[in-house]
Amino acid sequence: MTEEVKLLKTWSSPFGLRIFWALKAKGIQFESIDEDLTNKSPQLLEYNPIHKKIPVLIHNGKPIVESLVILEYIDETWTHNPLLPQHPLNRATARFLARFGDDKVMSSIWRMFTKQGKEQEEAHGEVIENLKYLEEELKGKRFFGGDEIGYVDVALGWLTNLIPVSEDILGFKVVDKQVFPSLSAWMDEFTSVPFVKESLPPHDKLILKFHAYIAASPHK
């Protein structure tokens, strides 16, 4: 029996991209469908009626929502090329780092984008402290989980395109190779993986999108 796997995402969403990368890392055949969130499809509204958001993974007609939940579903359903570590402590650490990325790192970068003056400086300082934590986690390793791409790498892979975009828009360096040698090396390693390199959103298009975000955000 042929499995049917579909992914509803958008071209720029970091949450959709992490699912795309996980499926590619597993070698799973799937259909990738880009949604227009200003005109949500009946399929999206049917499969995610509560949040009405992407990503949605549809496996044999059954939807799974929330990107970190989807990652674990993928790993438990297709057990080859495991994303999560086998040891319970390492698995717990991986889950923590993924959540840390969403709750702390991403939110601080967003504040750095949308604030001005002293508030922006404070957000920048918070970004640097958060990235220092990731730098320590990467020391001596090619990827977060070791020598192969794993759960944390696909969960935090959005850093590899959001950091360069933020540096271009804000006009200052966020990840300096002298300060963050391990993080810089990881960004280069991750983006050199063929299925990652081919799927990264166009840099110029992201610049325009984030300029629009910033223009629409109230500066307080």
PDB file of all heavy atoms in Angstrom, residues 178-198:
ATOM      1  N   GLN A 178      34.030  35.368  15.071  1.00  0.00           N
ATOM      2  CA  GLN A 178      34.981  35.397  16.179  1.00  0.00           C
ATOM      3  C   GLN A 178      34.291  35.104  17.504  1.00  0.00           C
ATOM      4  O   GLN A 178      34.853  34.466  18.395  1.00  0.00           O
ATOM      5  CB  GLN A 178      35.663  36.777  16.255  1.00  0.00           C
ATOM      6  CG  GLN A 178      36.407  37.179  14.998  1.00  0.00           C
ATOM      7  CD  GLN A 178      37.496  36.199  14.614  1.00  0.00           C
ATOM      8  OE1 GLN A 178      38.257  35.752  15.468  1.00  0.00           O
ATOM      9  NE2 GLN A 178      37.560  35.853  13.333  1.00  0.00           N
ATOM     10  N   VAL A 179      33.066  35.562  17.643  1.00  0.00           N
ATOM     11  CA  VAL A 179      32.304  35.380  18.881  1.00  0.00           C
ATOM     12  C   VAL A 179      31.572  34.040  18.891  1.00  0.00           C
ATOM     13  O   VAL A 179      31.470  33.379  19.926  1.00  0.00           O
ATOM     14  CB  VAL A 179      31.283  36.526  19.062  1.00  0.00           C
ATOM     15  CG1 VAL A 179      30.488  36.338  20.354  1.00  0.00           C
ATOM     16  CG2 VAL A 179      31.994  37.882  19.059  1.00  0.00           C
ATOM     17  N   PHE A 180      31.096  33.641  17.708  1.00  0.00           N
ATOM     18  CA  PHE A 180      30.299  32.414  17.595  1.00  0.00           C
ATOM     19  C   PHE A 180      30.901  31.467  16.553  1.00  0.00           C
ATOM     20  O   PHE A 180      30.266  31.168  15.530  1.00  0.00           O
ATOM     21  CB  PHE A 180      28.857  32.751  17.202  1.00  0.00           C
ATOM     22  CG  PHE A 180      28.113  33.587  18.205  1.00  0.00           C
ATOM     23  CD1 PHE A 180      27.843  34.920  17.945  1.00  0.00           C
ATOM     24  CD2 PHE A 180      27.670  33.036  19.398  1.00  0.00           C
ATOM     25  CE1 PHE A 180      27.138  35.691  18.857  1.00  0.00           C
ATOM     26  CE2 PHE A 180      26.975  33.805  20.319  1.00  0.00           C
ATOM     27  CZ  PHE A 180      26.709  35.137  20.057  1.00  0.00           C
ATOM     28  N   PRO A 181      32.110  30.971  16.785  1.00  0.00           N
ATOM     29  CA  PRO A 181      32.725  30.098  15.772  1.00  0.00           C
ATOM     30  C   PRO A 181      31.952  28.809  15.518  1.00  0.00           C
ATOM     31  O   PRO A 181      31.825  28.372  14.367  1.00  0.00           O
ATOM     32  CB  PRO A 181      34.110  29.807  16.357  1.00  0.00           C
ATOM     33  CG  PRO A 181      33.981  30.068  17.829  1.00  0.00           C
ATOM     34  CD  PRO A 181      32.989  31.169  17.954  1.00  0.00           C
ATOM     35  N   SER A 182      31.428  28.199  16.568  1.00  0.00           N
ATOM     36  CA  SER A 182      30.709  26.927  16.401  1.00  0.00           C
ATOM     37  C   SER A 182      29.365  27.145  15.713  1.00  0.00           C
ATOM     38  O   SER A 182      28.970  26.369  14.828  1.00  0.00           O
ATOM     39  CB  SER A 182      30.497  26.249  17.754  1.00  0.00           C
ATOM     40  OG  SER A 182      31.737  25.941  18.362  1.00  0.00           O
ATOM     41  N   LEU A 183      28.650  28.186  16.107  1.00  0.00           N
ATOM     42  CA  LEU A 183      27.358  28.493  15.500  1.00  0.00           C
ATOM     43  C   LEU A 183      27.534  28.879  14.032  1.00  0.00           C
ATOM     44  O   LEU A 183      26.748  28.463  13.173  1.00  0.00           O
ATOM     45  CB  LEU A 183      26.668  29.612  16.278  1.00  0.00           C
ATOM     46  CG  LEU A 183      25.210  29.921  15.931  1.00  0.00           C
ATOM     47  CD1 LEU A 183      24.325  28.697  16.126  1.00  0.00           C
ATOM     48  CD2 LEU A 183      24.700  31.091  16.773  1.00  0.00           C
ATOM     49  N   SER A 184      28.563  29.656  13.738  1.00  0.00           N
ATOM     50  CA  SER A 184      28.849  30.046  12.352  1.00  0.00           C
ATOM     51  C   SER A 184      29.153  28.825  11.499  1.00  0.00           C
ATOM     52  O   SER A 184      28.661  28.698  10.370  1.00  0.00           O
ATOM     53  CB  SER A 184      30.030  31.021  12.294  1.00  0.00           C
ATOM     54  OG  SER A 184      29.733  32.234  12.937  1.00  0.00           O
ATOM     55  N   ALA A 185      29.977  27.922  12.041  1.00  0.00           N
ATOM     56  CA  ALA A 185      30.334  26.702  11.308  1.00  0.00           C
ATOM     57  C   ALA A 185      29.093  25.837  11.085  1.00  0.00           C
ATOM     58  O   ALA A 185      28.911  25.259  10.008  1.00  0.00           O
ATOM     59  CB  ALA A 185      31.396  25.918  12.076  1.00  0.00           C
ATOM     60  N   TRP A 186      28.222  25.758  12.098  1.00  0.00           N
ATOM     61  CA  TRP A 186      26.990  24.968  11.960  1.00  0.00           C
ATOM     62  C   TRP A 186      26.092  25.561  10.872  1.00  0.00           C
ATOM     63  O   TRP A 186      25.507  24.814  10.060  1.00  0.00           O
ATOM     64  CB  TRP A 186      26.236  24.938  13.287  1.00  0.00           C
ATOM     65  CG  TRP A 186      24.846  24.368  13.167  1.00  0.00           C
ATOM     66  CD1 TRP A 186      24.509  23.041  13.061  1.00  0.00           C
ATOM     67  CD2 TRP A 186      23.621  25.112  13.099  1.00  0.00           C
ATOM     68  NE1 TRP A 186      23.141  22.918  12.939  1.00  0.00           N
ATOM     69  CE2 TRP A 186      22.568  24.171  12.960  1.00  0.00           C
ATOM     70  CE3 TRP A 186      23.312  26.471  13.152  1.00  0.00           C
ATOM     71  CZ2 TRP A 186      21.236  24.551  12.879  1.00  0.00           C
ATOM     72  CZ3 TRP A 186      21.978  26.858  13.068  1.00  0.00           C
ATOM     73  CH2 TRP A 186      20.966  25.893  12.931  1.00  0.00           C
ATOM     74  N   MET A 187      25.967  26.874  10.843  1.00  0.00           N
ATOM     75  CA  MET A 187      25.146  27.516   9.816  1.00  0.00           C
ATOM     76  C   MET A 187      25.666  27.180   8.416  1.00  0.00           C
ATOM     77  O   MET A 187      24.881  26.889   7.510  1.00  0.00           O
ATOM     78  CB  MET A 187      25.111  29.035  10.036  1.00  0.00           C
ATOM     79  CG  MET A 187      24.315  29.440  11.269  1.00  0.00           C
ATOM     80  SD  MET A 187      24.445  31.208  11.692  1.00  0.00           S
ATOM     81  CE  MET A 187      23.576  31.952  10.297  1.00  0.00           C
ATOM     82  N   ASP A 188      26.990  27.184   8.260  1.00  0.00           N
ATOM     83  CA  ASP A 188      27.588  26.829   6.964  1.00  0.00           C
ATOM     84  C   ASP A 188      27.339  25.358   6.632  1.00  0.00           C
ATOM     85  O   ASP A 188      27.019  25.012   5.487  1.00  0.00           O
ATOM     86  CB  ASP A 188      29.092  27.116   6.975  1.00  0.00           C
ATOM     87  CG  ASP A 188      29.405  28.606   6.982  1.00  0.00           C
ATOM     88  OD1 ASP A 188      28.522  29.409   6.623  1.00  0.00           O
ATOM     89  OD2 ASP A 188      30.543  28.970   7.363  1.00  0.00           O
ATOM     90  N   GLU A 189      27.513  24.490   7.622  1.00  0.00           N
ATOM     91  CA  GLU A 189      27.318  23.051   7.424  1.00  0.00           C
ATOM     92  C   GLU A 189      25.866  22.755   7.040  1.00  0.00           C
ATOM     93  O   GLU A 189      25.591  22.001   6.109  1.00  0.00           O
ATOM     94  CB  GLU A 189      27.678  22.275   8.695  1.00  0.00           C
ATOM     95  CG  GLU A 189      29.170  22.136   8.952  1.00  0.00           C
ATOM     96  CD  GLU A 189      29.796  20.977   8.178  1.00  0.00           C
ATOM     97  OE1 GLU A 189      29.110  20.350   7.358  1.00  0.00           O
ATOM     98  OE2 GLU A 189      30.975  20.708   8.397  1.00  0.00           O
ATOM     99  N   PHE A 190      24.947  23.324   7.796  1.00  0.00           N
ATOM    100  CA  PHE A 190      23.541  23.028   7.580  1.00  0.00           C
ATOM    101  C   PHE A 190      23.081  23.495   6.202  1.00  0.00           C
ATOM    102  O   PHE A 190      22.377  22.764   5.490  1.00  0.00           O
ATOM    103  CB  PHE A 190      22.694  23.680   8.680  1.00  0.00           C
ATOM    104  CG  PHE A 190      21.252  23.278   8.657  1.00  0.00           C
ATOM    105  CD1 PHE A 190      20.855  22.024   9.096  1.00  0.00           C
ATOM    106  CD2 PHE A 190      20.276  24.158   8.201  1.00  0.00           C
ATOM    107  CE1 PHE A 190      19.514  21.643   9.058  1.00  0.00           C
ATOM    108  CE2 PHE A 190      18.940  23.797   8.172  1.00  0.00           C
ATOM    109  CZ  PHE A 190      18.556  22.527   8.600  1.00  0.00           C
ATOM    110  N   THR A 191      23.466  24.704   5.824  1.00  0.00           N
ATOM    111  CA  THR A 191      23.013  25.247   4.536  1.00  0.00           C
ATOM    112  C   THR A 191      23.738  24.624   3.348  1.00  0.00           C
ATOM    113  O   THR A 191      23.330  24.829   2.208  1.00  0.00           O
ATOM    114  CB  THR A 191      23.186  26.775   4.484  1.00  0.00           C
ATOM    115  OG1 THR A 191      24.536  27.119   4.827  1.00  0.00           O
ATOM    116  CG2 THR A 191      22.238  27.460   5.454  1.00  0.00           C
ATOM    117  N   SER A 192      24.787  23.834   3.597  1.00  0.00           N
ATOM    118  CA  SER A 192      25.466  23.141   2.505  1.00  0.00           C
ATOM    119  C   SER A 192      24.830  21.788   2.193  1.00  0.00           C
ATOM    120  O   SER A 192      25.139  21.173   1.170  1.00  0.00           O
ATOM    121  CB  SER A 192      26.959  22.944   2.832  1.00  0.00           C
ATOM    122  OG  SER A 192      27.122  22.009   3.879  1.00  0.00           O
ATOM    123  N   VAL A 193      23.944  21.312   3.079  1.00  0.00           N
ATOM    124  CA  VAL A 193      23.220  20.071   2.813  1.00  0.00           C
ATOM    125  C   VAL A 193      22.295  20.313   1.609  1.00  0.00           C
ATOM    126  O   VAL A 193      21.528  21.278   1.612  1.00  0.00           O
ATOM    127  CB  VAL A 193      22.400  19.639   4.050  1.00  0.00           C
ATOM    128  CG1 VAL A 193      21.527  18.426   3.732  1.00  0.00           C
ATOM    129  CG2 VAL A 193      23.331  19.345   5.218  1.00  0.00           C
ATOM    130  N   PRO A 194      22.372  19.469   0.569  1.00  0.00           N
ATOM    131  CA  PRO A 194      21.635  19.766  -0.675  1.00  0.00           C
ATOM    132  C   PRO A 194      20.153  20.068  -0.488  1.00  0.00           C
ATOM    133  O   PRO A 194      19.650  21.051  -1.036  1.00  0.00           O
ATOM    134  CB  PRO A 194      21.859  18.492  -1.499  1.00  0.00           C
ATOM    135  CG  PRO A 194      23.198  17.996  -1.054  1.00  0.00           C
ATOM    136  CD  PRO A 194      23.254  18.302   0.421  1.00  0.00           C
ATOM    137  N   PHE A 195      19.412  19.253   0.278  1.00  0.00           N
ATOM    138  CA  PHE A 195      17.973  19.488   0.379  1.00  0.00           C
ATOM    139  C   PHE A 195      17.647  20.743   1.190  1.00  0.00           C
ATOM    140  O   PHE A 195      16.565  21.314   1.059  1.00  0.00           O
ATOM    141  CB  PHE A 195      17.213  18.267   0.921  1.00  0.00           C
ATOM    142  CG  PHE A 195      17.529  17.872   2.344  1.00  0.00           C
ATOM    143  CD1 PHE A 195      17.050  18.594   3.426  1.00  0.00           C
ATOM    144  CD2 PHE A 195      18.289  16.738   2.592  1.00  0.00           C
ATOM    145  CE1 PHE A 195      17.322  18.206   4.733  1.00  0.00           C
ATOM    146  CE2 PHE A 195      18.565  16.339   3.897  1.00  0.00           C
ATOM    147  CZ  PHE A 195      18.083  17.077   4.972  1.00  0.00           C
ATOM    148  N   VAL A 196      18.589  21.190   2.031  1.00  0.00           N
ATOM    149  CA  VAL A 196      18.407  22.459   2.742  1.00  0.00           C
ATOM    150  C   VAL A 196      18.705  23.620   1.799  1.00  0.00           C
ATOM    151  O   VAL A 196      17.899  24.559   1.672  1.00  0.00           O
ATOM    152  CB  VAL A 196      19.318  22.537   3.984  1.00  0.00           C
ATOM    153  CG1 VAL A 196      19.237  23.919   4.631  1.00  0.00           C
ATOM    154  CG2 VAL A 196      18.946  21.460   4.999  1.00  0.00           C
ATOM    155  N   LYS A 197      19.839  23.537   1.135  1.00  0.00           N
ATOM    156  CA  LYS A 197      20.268  24.611   0.221  1.00  0.00           C
ATOM    157  C   LYS A 197      19.209  24.897  -0.846  1.00  0.00           C
ATOM    158  O   LYS A 197      18.931  26.057  -1.175  1.00  0.00           O
ATOM    159  CB  LYS A 197      21.591  24.207  -0.433  1.00  0.00           C
ATOM    160  CG  LYS A 197      22.239  25.288  -1.274  1.00  0.00           C
ATOM    161  CD  LYS A 197      23.593  24.822  -1.771  1.00  0.00           C
ATOM    162  CE  LYS A 197      24.299  25.915  -2.550  1.00  0.00           C
ATOM    163  NZ  LYS A 197      25.639  25.468  -3.011  1.00  0.00           N
ATOM    164  N   GLU A 198      18.596  23.823  -1.358  1.00  0.00           N
ATOM    165  CA  GLU A 198      17.626  23.974  -2.444  1.00  0.00           C
ATOM    166  C   GLU A 198      16.288  24.535  -1.972  1.00  0.00           C
ATOM    167  O   GLU A 198      15.500  25.017  -2.788  1.00  0.00           O
ATOM    168  CB  GLU A 198      17.400  22.608  -3.114  1.00  0.00           C
ATOM    169  CG  GLU A 198      18.616  22.096  -3.862  1.00  0.00           C
ATOM    170  CD  GLU A 198      18.522  20.603  -4.187  1.00  0.00           C
ATOM    171  OE1 GLU A 198      17.449  20.006  -3.909  1.00  0.00           O
ATOM    172  OE2 GLU A 198      19.513  20.054  -4.696  1.00  0.00           O
TER     173      GLU A 198
END
